[in-house]
Amino acid sequence: MNTYDSLLATVSAQSGETREVFDPATGELIAEAPVNDVATLEAAIDKAEATQPSWAALSDEERIAYLHKAADAIEAAAEPLAELLSREQGKPLNGPNARFEVGGCVAWTRAAADTPLPVEVIVDDESGYAEMHYRPLGVVGAISPWNWPMMISIWQIAPSLRMGNTVVIKPAETTTLSVLALVAVMNEVLPEGVLNIVPGPGSTVGDALTRSPKISKIMFTGSTPVGKRIIEASAPNVTRLTLELGGNDAGIVLPDVDPAAIAEDLFWGAFINTGQTCAALKRLYVHDSVYDAVVSELAKVAAAVPMGVGLEEQNVLGPLQNRPQFDIVDRLVESAKASGARVVLGGDPDREAAGNFYPTTLVADIDPQQDLVLEEQFGPALPIIRYTDVDEAVRLANALEVGLGASVWSADRDAARKVAARLEAGTVWINSHGGLHPMIPFGGAKQSGYGREFGVMGLKSVAEPQVISG
């Protein structure tokens, strides 16, 4: 049975090049993480390539059974996995955080296993017969981020394995231990060589993974600039890509809302994972007639939500995962202050503290062209913009080059849907923001990437469609 100490011992580096891992809430040294090189990556790719034919030769039912065993193994190790995630990433155990994330790993693995994907009959009439099959691609290269390191890794791993591919995954450099532990638990029940992990720098290991001619598909979640580099690096091999890139999600609050009724959902849409979520609400446009009331009710909710060390059970907001991200949020809020925007709550971090805590921050009466609005802050700071005409709010929401998610808030669902249809985003939520479902496709528009994950579309995205005609 896995414990926190046994898992940490399994994934900590004992020799070779290492990197110190510090708890972002306390500054405490957790362990040494391994740092692999390109030669290690190439060996892992070769192993995955050699294993893939035998994995693909299994029946769909056999691969489904393996995924259920992997889900069971994650569930059995849920508490030590959550503790390690909390210590390394910073997110609290409770709330929509570490325990929630490990539970999501279990749920998404089972969903990927159980989603039916039958042969599709395309034509069956006097003109002929044709059917669509979905074949394995080969080796999938997965590159996961630091904000939801375990769950997003599962979003890449589980469908790939279900469809008969093998996987080589490179975790983010600052959340290496979490993903190493997740993979170690899964590999207790998976055949050797099916799931491989190689931690290392993006500039060397990540770059080599995207350039390898032996990789048939790259799945990446991260920033748009890195996504563009992956497109360039993989182009000579015509590698298939699924890219979930940066977002700066807009929410539009229509004038018919009850501010008190929507305040808590607005808060969690923006501040889940302390704002460190690609599809979090990052700029909120509120009609003038309800603006002051929405700001007031949102501030009441925000002020009551405890932030602190993740292992302390009462906390549901934690630190920023790394200091560079803290500095980005700090810079953007200071820029907003200097522009004359009104800080309703927060905005006063202790920059000398050991942990990367940035207080929950609401910024009102801010110019829509201010940096805090235009740049993705990826932290616990929400700009709230006043508008008087919904056409102008839609124009501002669509003005940026990204379009991952968006939301519309209204007591009239039909009116909200009409506004939602005008927004340029991969997903538009009504009266909520950021909720995901394992059967509902998810992905971005514009420079927030391309390809879809989850459900039937997610399985098809890691497979090669093949028509058999005649």
Side-chain angles (χ1 to χ4, degrees):
M1 179 178 177
N2 287 300
T3 65
Y4 171 79
D5 289 336
S6 68
L7 268 182
L8 188 62
T10 298
V11 301
S12 298
Q14 307 302 322
S15 60
E17 186 177 352
T18 65
R19 178 184 60 80
E20 292 182 328
V21 178
F22 297 96
D23 185 329
T26 64
E28 174 190 0
L29 178 65
I30 300 171
E32 298 278 344
V35 179
N36 292 156
D37 57 16
V38 172
T40 304
L41 172 72
E42 290 173 346
I45 293 173
D46 289 345
K47 186 175 184 179
E49 184 183 42
T51 306
Q52 193 273 329
S54 61
W55 177 248
L58 297 178
S59 68
D60 192 38
E61 291 74 17
E62 289 173 311
R63 290 194 298 273
I64 288 171
Y66 271 116
L67 284 177
H68 275 289
K69 290 178 182 177
D72 291 345
I74 297 168
E75 191 168 46
E79 192 61 19
L81 284 172
E83 182 177 347
L84 180 55
L85 177 61
S86 180
R87 289 178 183 271
E88 183 180 45
Q89 201 281 337
K91 62 182 64 182
L93 291 171
N94 289 322
N97 294 297
R99 289 178 177 132
F100 170 85
E101 181 168 347
V102 176
C105 292
V106 175
W108 254 268
T109 300
R110 289 179 177 152
D114 292 337
T115 300
L117 188 61
V119 172
E120 301 171 26
V121 176
I122 307 300
V123 173
D124 185 9
D125 57 25
E126 65 278 1
S127 69
Y129 180 86
E131 57 187 29
M132 179 74 79
H133 296 253
Y134 290 90
R135 309 298 191 194
L137 288 167
V139 181
V140 172
I143 303 173
S144 61
W146 51 258
N147 58 332
W148 293 89
M150 289 184 179
M151 190 152 66
I152 292 178
S153 294
I154 285 293
W155 294 351
Q156 299 168 336
I157 292 167
S160 299
L161 295 184
R162 162 71 191 280
M163 297 308 295
N165 307 290
T166 52
V167 174
V168 177
I169 186 165
K170 191 205 87 68
E173 292 169 60
T174 58
T175 50
T176 297
L177 297 175
S178 299
V179 185
L180 280 169
L182 176 70
V183 169
V185 167
M186 296 179 73
N187 276 337
E188 292 172 0
V189 297
L190 293 173
E192 185 179 357
V194 167
L195 175 56
N196 310 272
I197 182 165
V198 184
S203 59
T204 55
V205 171
D207 183 66
L209 181 65
T210 61
R211 294 181 186 278
S212 173
K214 297 180 180 180
I215 296 295
S216 300
K217 168 96 182 188
I218 291 288
M219 302 184 76
F220 170 74
T221 295
S223 71
T224 297
V226 175
K228 290 178 179 180
R229 294 201 292 271
I230 288 173
I231 294 169
E232 294 174 357
S234 63
N237 300 316
V238 198
T239 307
R240 276 69 175 155
L241 300 173
T242 293
L243 303 174
E244 196 262 89
L245 306 179
N248 193 354
D249 288 12
I252 298 177
V253 178
L254 300 184
D256 63 357
V257 299
D258 176 348
I262 66 170
E264 186 169 357
D265 288 334
L266 278 173
F267 175 83
W268 285 114
F271 291 96
I272 185 172
N273 196 28
T274 316
Q276 299 167 109
T277 297
C278 297
L281 174 57
K282 298 189 176 77
R283 48 195 173 111
L284 183 62
Y285 299 89
V286 181
H287 192 271
D288 180 66
S289 65
V290 291
Y291 184 88
D292 291 335
V294 168
V295 171
S296 176
E297 294 296 334
L298 188 53
K300 290 178 188 176
V301 174
V305 178
M307 175 184 286
V309 175
L311 297 182
E312 296 173 2
E313 296 279 351
Q314 76 275 13
N315 294 321
V316 290
L317 293 176
L320 290 162
Q321 199 282 322
N322 55 80
R323 201 66 184 187
Q325 194 59 47
F326 176 99
D327 292 340
I328 289 171
V329 176
D330 194 21
R331 171 179 60 81
L332 290 173
V333 173
E334 290 303 308
S335 173
K337 287 181 184 179
S339 75
R342 174 168 60 98
V343 176
V344 178
L345 185 73
D348 54 347
D350 181 352
R351 298 177 183 86
E352 305 304 318
N356 299 328
F357 286 100
Y358 196 95
T360 305
T361 299
L362 300 175
V363 180
D365 300 327
I366 184 170
D367 188 292
Q369 301 306 314
Q370 216 282 322
D371 289 347
L372 182 61
V373 179
L374 301 181
E375 295 184 34
E376 182 182 25
Q377 68 272 32
F378 216 68
L382 179 66
I384 309 170
I385 305 99
R386 191 188 302 263
Y387 78 89
T388 56
D389 180 77
V390 71
D391 291 338
E392 177 67 4
V394 170
R395 186 191 70 78
L396 290 170
N398 288 338
L400 303 187
E401 62 188 9
V402 290
L404 186 56
S407 57
V408 182
W409 304 74
S410 173
D412 183 340
R413 192 168 294 273
D414 290 337
R417 286 196 175 110
K418 289 178 182 177
V419 176
R422 300 169 61 190
L423 295 176
E424 298 167 355
T427 300
V428 183
W429 292 274
I430 306 295
N431 294 328
S432 66
H433 196 111
L436 301 179
H437 187 288
M439 294 304 296
I440 299 176
F442 175 70
K446 301 194 286 191
Q447 291 196 26
S448 287
Y450 45 72
R452 291 295 182 268
E453 299 176 272
F454 311 159
V456 173
M457 287 187 72
L459 294 181
K460 290 179 178 181
S461 76
V462 286
E464 189 71 71
Q466 181 188 56
V467 172
I468 297 180
S469 182

